[in-house]
Amino acid sequence: MIGRSKSSLIYAAFTLLAFAIIPLGIATGHFPLLSLLALIPLVPALISVRDSFRHADDIPQLAQAMGLNVVVNLVTPALLAAALVI
């Protein structure tokens, strides 16, 4: 396999790209301005990315970052959906 450190790079790229789509959608007119609310979980997402690098070889600590990732992955689409409905 590619290893935990390289996996953290892939995770970071996917996470940051997911959040980059939101302002891109607003800039192109596909998302309303209220969609910026979906950027609220960006801070916990960055903490999770940081911790995935810091604790790549410490599974108990990495589990905390993974838990934070679950929260981010539940809250972000919920906020974006709410912005699209309103």
Side-chain angles (χ1 to χ4, degrees), residues 7-68:
S7 295
S8 292
L9 284 172
I10 294 169
Y11 166 64
F14 283 154
T15 300
L16 296 177
L17 286 173
F19 280 100
I21 288 172
I22 297 166
L24 181 64
I26 293 169
T28 60
H30 290 90
F31 291 163
L33 188 59
L34 195 57
S35 299
L36 288 174
L37 287 174
L39 294 178
I40 292 172
L42 181 59
V43 172
L46 293 175
I47 293 169
S48 179
V49 166
R50 180 199 65 194
D51 288 350
S52 74
F53 284 103
R54 280 188 183 171
H55 306 298
D57 294 318
D58 184 5
I59 300 303
Q61 289 293 324
L62 188 58
Q64 291 179 2
M66 291 168 56
L68 195 54

